[in-house]
Amino acid sequence: MAATRSRKPRLALVGADSLRGKEMLGVLAAKKLPLASLELFDPEVEEEYSKLGQFRGEAKVVHALTPAALEGLDLVILASDAETGLRYGRLAAERDYRALDLGESFNADAAVPLVVAGVNDAVLRTSKPRLVANPHPATIALAHLLAALRDGFGLARAVAVVLEPVSAYAEEGIQELAEQSYALLGSTSLSKKVFRDQVAFNLLARTGKPEPNGFSPLENRVTAEVGRVLGPVGAPLALSIVLAPVFHTYSIMLHVELGRDAALAEVEARLRKSEALRLPAAGEAAVSPATVAGKDRIAVGQVKKDPAIPGGFWLWAVADNLTVGSALNAYGIVRAMVGDA
């Protein structure tokens, strides 16, 4: 007898106007995942039919957000503000829906699985959690890089410097970099509403108050997230984050010490086996924010064998924070969560 086909899932997206929400909506529209329905919600909508969106070429009403409206849905994707994410993430079990948080509201909650699709997503099929968190974009990129190397050679330790884009601070960060760039080129006064210091044509190694260990809350958070994703078979990671004057993409300079020595060709071959990673072919443009923005894979540029440290390698990688660093990882989570809907 033929197996019964699973029914199509019913999804909801909360916050389709946010940067993450727009990218997630675009990914869902482009992918072939069959859906029974996708409803759009906005916490700021008060009157029905007062706001419209679009999905797969069709106009969609953006509904007012209430707990009752989400009850019984297969999956609710939370891409709105932190307060909304916290409220509706906590309501998932009570209101009988599963939720995926894109707003990073639950990333520090040890009771909420933090998932990088293709690295540690087995938990979604075994324990079927009601609430799942999408990791920070830097966590997603680092987890794929380190997991590929760990699985091929083992890892002793890793050190990373991460260049953060202004889009990490939403539309306001993008606007401030643009305004400061125009102001400096036109010799007019700078606007500093989002960043305490000048960000245009500059690098900022510290954008907030450090924690007692001297590292920023974000540095401590990404380090902890990578540890959770890779689990006990990971490797010690030291990490520093620098704010760069680019609109999109996280750029990473990573130094690793493998569990055994290896040839450069072996390491490159191992990285090419990962579906999330891409090494450019000979003659292609250099891997940089300008060439990687909007792309759907983590681009690995130079891989250099460290002559001073056995098993040591330097890697340069760039990942778009809205595509592979958020929405595409979330899509992988969605597929795993509603595959049995």
Side-chain angles (χ1 to χ4, degrees):
M1 181 181 294
T4 302
R5 293 184 65 183
S6 298
R7 65 173 176 82
K8 295 178 182 179
R10 298 164 299 152
L11 270 59
L13 176 61
V14 178
D17 285 341
S18 68
L19 285 176
R20 288 186 178 94
K22 290 175 182 176
E23 196 67 36
M24 190 73 230
L25 191 63
V27 168
L28 288 171
K31 297 294 185 180
K32 303 300 184 183
L33 180 68
L35 299 175
S37 63
L38 174 69
E39 301 298 334
L40 305 181
F41 293 88
D42 188 330
E44 296 183 0
V45 168
E46 297 180 357
E47 184 178 348
E48 194 75 351
Y49 300 104
S50 64
K51 185 176 182 180
L52 292 176
Q54 192 178 67
F55 180 66
R56 290 178 178 171
E58 296 183 4
K60 301 282 293 184
V61 174
V62 180
H63 304 288
L65 182 61
T66 66
L70 304 180
E71 194 161 349
L73 289 171
D74 294 303
L75 181 63
V76 176
I77 303 169
L78 301 170
S80 187
D81 60 281
E83 182 179 350
T84 301
L86 284 169
R87 181 186 180 195
Y88 286 89
R90 289 167 178 157
L91 283 173
E94 178 185 328
R95 292 288 179 166
D96 189 31
Y97 60 81
R98 299 176 80 185
L100 169 58
D101 174 42
L102 304 190
E104 303 173 19
S105 302
F106 293 92
N107 290 33
D109 189 338
V112 178
L114 190 69
V115 174
V116 174
V119 176
N120 70 326
D121 49 0
V123 65
L124 301 177
R125 298 175 179 87
T126 56
S127 64
K128 301 188 184 303
R130 304 300 300 182
L131 175 62
V132 176
N134 201 44
H136 187 276
T139 300
I140 294 170
L142 284 164
H144 278 296
L145 290 164
L146 294 173
L149 295 170
R150 174 200 65 189
D151 295 346
F153 310 98
L155 278 177
R157 60 186 57 84
V159 178
V161 175
V162 177
L163 301 182
E164 180 183 39
V166 295
S167 55
Y169 298 81
E171 295 280 5
E172 293 80 4
I174 294 172
Q175 185 67 25
E176 185 149 307
L177 173 57
E179 290 176 353
Q180 285 190 5
S181 299
Y182 289 132
L184 286 167
L185 292 172
S187 300
T188 59
S189 60
L190 293 182
S191 171
K192 296 179 183 177
K193 298 176 183 177
V194 179
F195 306 109
R196 182 182 59 187
D197 300 300
Q198 174 187 325
V199 65
F201 308 107
N202 201 12
L203 293 168
L204 300 176
R206 178 162 292 166
T207 57
K209 184 179 179 181
E211 294 189 330
N213 66 353
F215 289 84
S216 72
L218 180 58
E219 289 167 334
N220 286 326
R221 177 182 147 196
V222 171
T223 302
E225 285 188 15
V226 173
R228 284 180 60 194
V229 170
L230 295 182
V233 292
L237 171 66
L239 177 144
S240 187
I241 295 176
V242 177
L243 181 65
V246 296
F247 292 112
H248 299 289
T249 76
Y250 278 82
S251 302
I252 300 171
M253 181 60 78
L254 176 66
H255 186 273
V256 295
E257 291 182 46
L258 304 180
R260 65 172 178 85
D261 201 5
L264 177 61
E266 285 184 89
V267 173
E268 290 180 336
R270 181 66 214 184
L271 293 171
R272 286 193 174 93
K273 289 183 178 180
S274 170
E275 293 184 1
L277 306 178
R278 181 181 185 278
L279 278 69
E284 283 190 39
V287 169
S288 70
T291 60
V292 175
K295 299 296 194 302
D296 60 2
R297 296 171 75 186
I298 301 161
V300 180
Q302 286 185 316
V303 180
K304 299 181 289 188
K305 186 172 175 62
D306 190 336
I309 300 174
F313 286 84
W314 287 99
L315 291 85
W316 169 250
V318 181
D320 188 285
N321 48 309
L322 297 178
T323 56
V324 67
S326 182
L328 288 170
N329 187 70
Y331 179 72
I333 296 173
V334 168
R335 290 192 61 182
M337 291 183 77
V338 301
D340 58 348

